[in-house]
Amino acid sequence: NAELNNGRLAMLAIVGMISQNGFLGTTGASMWIPGAAFDKELGATMPFKYFDPLGLASDGDAGAFRRRRAAEIKNGRVAMWACMGYITPEYFRWPGFCSPSEGVKFADLPNGFAAAAKIPGLGVLQILAFVGTIEIFNLQSTPGKYAGDYEGYGAFGLPGGKPIADVAKKEKSLLAEINNGRLAMMAIMGMWFQNGLTGSAWGDWALYTDSPLRAAPDFSKELGACPPLGFWDPLGLSAYSDPEFADSQFRRRRVVE
């Protein structure tokens, strides 16, 4: 069992070393924590600090960096709202009607992807018009000192709100926003996948009845199935309708591994 796990780790490690050596000419730590023009910017936090493995900012173009940072912040903000849009309806819904003319109540709208088919057409147009207005007339202005800090918006992105005057407090808040936005972007992707596969962002994976893993024999007791992943076959390579064939293919791949 130890040999299997050490072999897996070694295969991943050597692939990473070969790739890093080929791209950078070195297998040192410079790929992950490079000395760059932007390593002191907000967002350079542990554990990776300044993380640019593809070298997108290696040319030192400050304008391009600020454009990408503004895009990251904007996408993070949208992702945070999207996560709240999944979480909030599980605990609270507005009383009354979403569309009085069509008799659609807020309580009638399901959560997640299923809500898209229930929202009246005019409601969809209102959402698109609102987002387009904000994008065209408000977010096209030149950001201030900090990327994503648009004129006319204060703390928490409130239109006409009062900005944070204390520089240290402002940078601490902006750093928290960047990191929370990154987390939210990963979180909303997980919610989308779980919603699509199980029918709900909080759905039981047992509802994913089309999973290719369901047809496979139980290999969870085999050597190599250990924490934290247990038996790990995300591509369903061991899933066959014929149990004997599935077992033979598993044995063949285990010998190769």
Side-chain angles (χ1 to χ4, degrees):
N1 198 35
E3 180 186 28
L4 284 171
N5 290 323
N6 290 337
R8 290 167 177 171
L9 178 61
M11 285 187 282
L12 287 173
I14 195 62
V15 169
M17 291 179 181
I18 292 172
S19 299
Q20 186 173 343
N21 201 175
F23 282 114
L24 299 178
T26 176
T27 55
S30 59
M31 175 178 178
W32 307 109
I33 311 177
F38 309 112
D39 58 358
K40 303 299 182 184
E41 293 284 342
L42 289 173
T45 53
M46 294 298 289
F48 296 114
K49 294 186 178 180
Y50 177 71
F51 184 69
D52 183 20
L54 298 180
L56 298 177
S58 59
D59 57 1
D61 188 333
F65 176 83
R66 284 178 62 83
R67 178 178 61 79
R68 293 190 183 101
R69 171 50 53 79
E72 177 188 26
I73 292 173
K74 187 186 299 185
N75 290 332
R77 290 169 177 172
V78 172
M80 286 188 280
W81 279 110
C83 288
M84 290 303 298
Y86 262 104
I87 296 170
T88 304
E90 296 288 333
Y91 303 97
F92 171 80
R93 291 177 184 270
W94 293 109
F97 289 86
C98 171
S99 175
S101 62
E102 298 193 24
V104 179
K105 296 181 180 180
F106 286 105
D108 296 333
L109 295 175
N111 199 6
F113 292 154
K118 300 293 184 179
I119 300 175
L122 288 178
V124 174
L125 290 178
Q126 288 176 349
I127 294 172
L128 295 177
F130 174 75
V131 173
T133 300
I134 295 295
E135 181 70 29
I136 295 173
F137 295 102
N138 297 81
L139 301 184
Q140 295 301 318
S141 61
T142 302
K145 178 182 177 182
Y146 301 96
D149 195 3
Y150 294 97
E151 183 180 355
Y153 289 81
F156 304 107
L158 297 176
K162 184 179 179 181
I164 301 175
D166 186 282
V167 175
K169 183 178 179 181
K170 185 180 184 73
E171 291 190 347
K172 180 180 180 181
S173 298
L174 290 173
L175 177 59
E177 179 187 37
I178 290 172
N179 288 326
N180 289 337
R182 291 167 175 171
L183 176 61
M185 286 187 279
M186 299 298 294
I188 194 61
M189 290 297 295
M191 291 179 184
W192 284 344
F193 273 97
Q194 190 163 353
N195 192 172
L197 295 175
T198 69
S200 168
W202 325 109
D204 187 341
W205 283 109
L207 299 175
Y208 181 24
T209 56
D210 294 331
S211 171
L213 299 180
R214 295 187 184 281
D218 183 14
F219 298 119
S220 62
K221 306 301 182 183
E222 295 285 342
L223 287 174
C226 53
L229 299 177
F231 176 64
W232 196 65
D233 184 19
L235 299 180
L237 298 178
S238 300
Y240 295 95
S241 57
D242 184 343
E244 292 186 3
F245 184 71
D247 185 71
S248 66
Q249 290 300 302
F250 175 82
R251 304 296 170 193
R252 180 180 64 80
R253 293 193 179 97
R254 174 49 53 83
V255 171
V256 172
E257 180 186 22

